[in-house]
Amino acid sequence: MFLQRKELFMKKYKTVVFDIDNTLTLLEPLLETIAFYFKCTPIKAHEAQHFSLAKTYGLTKEQEDYFWNENEWFMHAGAQLARERVDKIFSEYLEEDATIYILTARGPEHSNITRKWLNFNNMPYNEVFCIGKESKVAMLEELQAEAIFEDNPDFFFELWDKGLFPTVDGFCIDYPYNQHAPCKFRLHRDTAELMEAQEVLSDVYRR
């Protein structure tokens, strides 16, 4: 078992990394906006089978790229903080004086709006890194991170492939699209409660 049961988990972290989109934010408002934009039936977070929004809604890559080119700044500015989830994570898993790094795949051109959004939502942080398509895993050792909160399944596979799985505690925010991600811990997307222990690395061994 690679996910520990809630009653056995007592650790709090001093140095923590957070993703933003779908980790600190709610997914459903984004799904609703995309559905409205493309005039299709909206889906709920529990129906999101693909990390790629194009696949989720059956859109082409060109349609997805066009949407983000036209709307990315506004989507970042208007993103809704997952308040219950975030408050639970801070109270349960972070030391009071923890160092907090925000590490996001948003491009560097979105650094200012990202900081404004964090400040507006009273989200504490020490540094913000908007790294675009660069590897998040590559930065974890440099930041000396003890834990990371993330939703992208590809990140967890890379963490495993680079040999950092034993040294950085990965918390996966639970969505249908990341069910097979090799994470140490899985958090309920609404409440941030630790979910039941389960085998999460079977697919890794078959790769």
Side-chain angles (χ1 to χ4, degrees), residues 95-110:
E95 294 187 7
E96 289 187 8
D97 59 345
T99 298
I100 299 168
Y101 297 112
I102 305 298
L103 184 58
T104 171
R106 297 177 179 184
E109 68 275 15
H110 297 292

Side-chain angles (χ1 to χ4, degrees), residues 44-59:
K44 301 295 186 181
H46 69 269
E47 301 171 306
Q49 297 294 330
H50 302 283
F51 182 74
S52 165
L53 296 178
K55 290 182 179 178
T56 297
Y57 274 111
L59 305 173

Side-chain angles (χ1 to χ4, degrees), residues 62-178:
E62 290 73 21
Q63 286 175 307
E64 183 179 27
D65 290 344
Y66 182 81
F67 173 82
W68 285 113
N69 288 336
E70 293 291 314
N71 300 288
E72 187 167 7
W73 189 94
F74 300 100
M75 297 308 298
H76 294 334
Q80 293 186 32
L81 181 73
R83 175 60 67 186
E84 181 179 357
R85 180 195 309 157
V86 171
D87 287 349
K88 178 74 171 181
I89 289 173
F90 269 72
S91 65
E92 293 289 324
Y93 306 116
L94 272 65
E95 294 187 7
E96 289 187 8
D97 59 345
T99 298
I100 299 168
Y101 297 112
I102 305 298
L103 184 58
T104 171
R106 297 177 179 184
E109 68 275 15
H110 297 292
S111 293
N112 287 339
I113 188 58
T114 296
R115 287 185 174 87
K116 289 180 180 179
W117 182 87
L118 292 165
N119 294 336
F120 177 80
N121 285 282
N122 298 314
M123 176 70 193
Y125 63 92
N126 294 85
E127 296 283 351
V128 176
F129 301 96
C130 295
I131 63 172
K133 297 184 182 301
E134 293 182 31
S135 170
K136 290 183 180 181
V137 172
M139 292 195 64
L140 291 183
E141 287 185 298
E142 178 182 339
L143 297 174
Q144 298 183 323
E146 298 173 340
I148 182 167
F149 294 80
E150 173 69 72
D151 72 297
N152 186 344
D154 290 341
F155 164 83
F156 290 102
F157 281 110
E158 184 182 358
L159 190 72
W160 173 267
D161 290 340
K162 296 293 177 60
L164 293 180
F165 186 90
T167 59
V168 180
D169 285 351
F171 287 79
C172 184
I173 307 302
D174 183 67
Y175 293 99
Y177 58 73
N178 60 31

